Amino acid sequence: MARTSVADQFIEVLVQAGVSRIYGVVGDSLNPIVDAIRRTADIEWVHVRNEEAGAFAAAAEAQLTGRLAVCAGSCGPGNTHLVQGLYDAHRTGAPVLALASHIPASQIGTGFFQETHPERLFVDCSGYCETISTPEQVPRLPRIAVQRALAGGGVSVLVMPGDLAHRDVAGDTGTSTFITERAVAVPPQTQVHALADAINRARTVTLFCGAGVAEAHAEVMELAGRVNAPVGHSLRGKEWVQYDNPYDVGMSGLLGYGACYRATQDADLLVLLGTDFPYDGFLPLERTVQVDHDASRLGRRTPLELGVHGDVGETLRAVLPMVEQKTDRSFLDDMLREHCRALETVVDAYTNRVGDRTPIHPEYVADVLDDLAAEDAVFTVDTGMCNVWAARYITPNGRRRVIGSFLHGTMANALPHAVGAQLAYPQRQVVSMSGDGGLAMLLGELLTVRLHDLPVKIVLFNNSSLGMVKLEMLVDGLPDYQTDHAGVDYAAIAQGAGIPAIRVTEPGEVPAALADALARPGPALVDVVTDPNAMSMPPHITAQQMKGFALAASKVVLGGGVGKMVELARSNLRNIPRP
């Protein structure tokens, strides 16, 4: 049919941009948009139970596919719900467009029912936020918003009064193409030479890698081999660099493990590759060079001897011919031995007859899940202790993906992220590693999973506690307070929503319950009652933090296992030449 309204024209622009779905809650000022979708064959409305979840779902879809994803909220409370998910998307660099519908244009500024100021509200969580005031601004502003999201790797927000969406168009939509492939930053030769000189001068080198090494695994391994460098990683870098890595020394940061912290501190030169690692307390704050495709990130976490503006892969390919082969492996071998010792210590503490002990150790659940999950599974991970179990137990292989709110750190992201991941990849196994605190916060999204019959597998780590908050209190020397709460049978809730579910209280039941859930054709939830005292110690804590633990944590289990990473560490020891 002929396009006649601004809403029709807006949707036509999205279809031209390759958008196939919009996440949101219908109603009110969004009704013209929703009706335009109803009449358009190439796009669908995905009903969620909270607009926040819609923004998370869009963020996951955009992260996994690299394509534009869209969410929407009606005027007032409808679009203010979007904020949390949009912050997560924008900080992650996911290309997301949000439509923040507004009250009638004639009522703006009068204190009208549900009036907010979305053009102000969303500025901090977007790279582009503009208001469509007249039909003449469509399709131009939507096209600008789409391209800004795709080009900038972040969120664009368009504010549009609901009555404007009803109005007749001012002109033809026309056609337009959108640039989805971005140019690769090639470093200046002066910086390449300076990087080579710094690496060649240093007696010992450590490489610390983030998500920016996603397309440069081979180059990182070649450089590590050339200079006998231990290779550590951030949480976001784990999935891209830990597999097939004979130089691995683990992860740094609050969730870290192994020898990574010492390797970064003791090297003559620390090379940061594609990471914007925020925890400067884990960095040496000297003897550091950094390579990043975004020049604005250079030096903002730590003083630099040298900053290199370039894509990691392009930079390493340019510098490798200039890097001299180092012959002394003693630093690398010492770090590999220390890494293996560190992992074996916590493994001994956490795997000895763990399959027989109750309450169930969450590490055991994560370890079994890692064994049973598909080789190309997508794991979505709740903020908190689930981050720890994913970081230490989910084994990367170059095909698996791990999505979480790793930069914004909000609760309740895992299940709505899983919704977007599953819709983006219908044939792929998607596993939500949810904490009971996170699941409870957006519990309605169980209904979203059931409504759309999404085959998401929800593995619930149900410890009736806000575990990470408890840990934070203990670090500060405070007794934990209001972190524990009455147990809830989430399996019964899921079953009431029409989702097959099982509650597991005995460790011997864990393998069969997970295997059955993963094999089911539709959604499933495994509610595992886990030990609320299972926590994680970072690889380095201050004297003040240790004092806090001594005061408040005498009965709390600390450490946390590391799963199959100990096997990797042991195998890497075999790379050490015998005298």
Side-chain angles (χ1 to χ4, degrees), residues 9 14 28 79 85 101 105 153 234 251 265 488 492:
Q9 200 167 53
L14 296 186
D28 202 5
N79 63 56
S101 190
S234 67
M251 190 172 84
Q265 297 294 319
V488 175

Side-chain angles (χ1 to χ4, degrees), residues 80-152:
T80 58
H81 280 306
L82 292 169
V83 169
Q84 195 75 282
L86 293 185
Y87 264 106
D88 173 74
H90 191 56
R91 298 193 69 178
T92 306
V96 169
L97 171 64
L99 173 61
S101 190
H102 206 354
I103 63 172
S106 62
Q107 299 291 350
I108 294 174
T110 69
F112 192 68
F113 176 66
Q114 294 189 323
E115 182 172 7
T116 58
H117 294 280
E119 75 284 355
R120 304 176 194 172
L121 176 69
F122 293 104
V123 166
D124 194 46
C125 59
S126 65
Y128 181 84
C129 182
E130 296 292 343
T131 300
I132 300 175
S133 303
T134 69
E136 286 77 13
Q137 291 173 288
V138 182
R140 188 178 183 187
L141 255 61
R143 284 185 175 135
I144 293 172
V146 168
Q147 193 58 64
R148 282 290 295 269
L150 290 170

Side-chain angles (χ1 to χ4, degrees), residues 167-407:
R167 292 179 59 182
D168 292 340
V169 297
D172 293 338
T173 306
T175 59
S176 181
T177 58
F178 295 93
I179 304 302
T180 57
E181 292 182 303
R182 299 168 65 182
V184 176
V186 178
Q189 280 298 304
T190 53
Q191 294 176 11
V192 173
H193 283 280
L195 176 60
D197 290 343
I199 293 173
N200 289 333
R201 284 196 309 270
R203 186 182 66 86
T204 59
V205 178
T206 292
L207 309 181
F208 185 69
C209 303
V213 304
E215 304 297 329
H217 183 277
E219 290 83 357
V220 172
M221 295 302 106
E222 185 175 353
L223 177 61
R226 186 79 56 87
V227 299
N228 295 322
V231 177
H233 57 266
S234 67
L235 179 55
R236 294 183 71 215
K238 171 186 170 72
E239 62 181 328
W240 304 116
V241 78
Q242 192 182 44
Y243 69 96
D244 295 338
N245 180 355
Y247 315 102
D248 176 58
V249 292
M251 190 172 84
S252 193
L254 298 174
L255 311 184
Y257 54 84
C260 184
Y261 175 79
R262 187 177 159 206
T264 58
Q265 297 294 319
D266 291 357
D268 290 346
L269 183 69
L270 174 62
V271 182
L272 303 177
L273 295 174
T275 180
D276 192 29
F277 184 71
Y279 302 107
D280 54 4
F282 291 87
L283 297 174
L285 304 180
E286 59 181 350
R287 312 183 312 278
T288 301
V289 301
Q290 182 180 2
V291 179
D292 204 288
H293 77 279
D294 184 346
S296 69
R297 296 174 181 168
L298 296 175
R300 76 174 178 177
R301 307 301 185 189
T302 180
L304 297 178
E305 288 188 8
L306 172 67
V308 180
H309 178 210
D311 170 79
V312 172
E314 289 289 337
T315 300
L316 296 188
R317 285 187 287 273
V319 79
L320 276 166
M322 307 176 193
V323 173
E324 300 166 359
Q325 177 68 55
K326 295 186 187 298
T327 57
D328 185 355
R329 282 184 53 108
S330 58
F331 178 66
L332 169 62
D333 295 345
D334 285 348
M335 292 301 101
L336 291 175
R337 292 188 184 98
E338 177 169 326
H339 181 59
C340 191
R341 284 195 300 269
L343 300 196
E344 287 177 332
T345 299
V346 293
V347 165
D348 287 343
Y350 271 80
T351 59
N352 183 24
R353 296 183 59 210
V354 71
D356 301 324
R357 295 182 178 181
T358 56
I360 299 171
H361 283 220
E363 303 93 335
Y364 174 63
V365 180
D367 192 42
V368 174
L369 176 62
D370 183 56
D371 278 339
L372 297 176
E375 290 298 296
D376 65 344
V378 178
F379 298 88
T380 62
V381 184
D382 259 340
T383 296
M385 298 311 295
C386 284
N387 269 196
V388 179
W389 313 139
R392 297 186 175 192
Y393 282 89
I394 300 306
T395 306
N397 58 12
R399 298 170 61 202
R400 287 177 165 179
R401 295 299 314 275
V402 180
I403 300 293
S405 186
F406 299 142
L407 296 178

Side-chain angles (χ1 to χ4, degrees), residues 56-57 59-60 63 88 380-381 403-405 413-422:
F56 279 126
Q63 284 183 71
D88 173 74
T380 62
V381 184
I403 300 293
S405 186
N413 63 283
L415 185 55
H417 270 162
V419 169
Q422 193 71 83

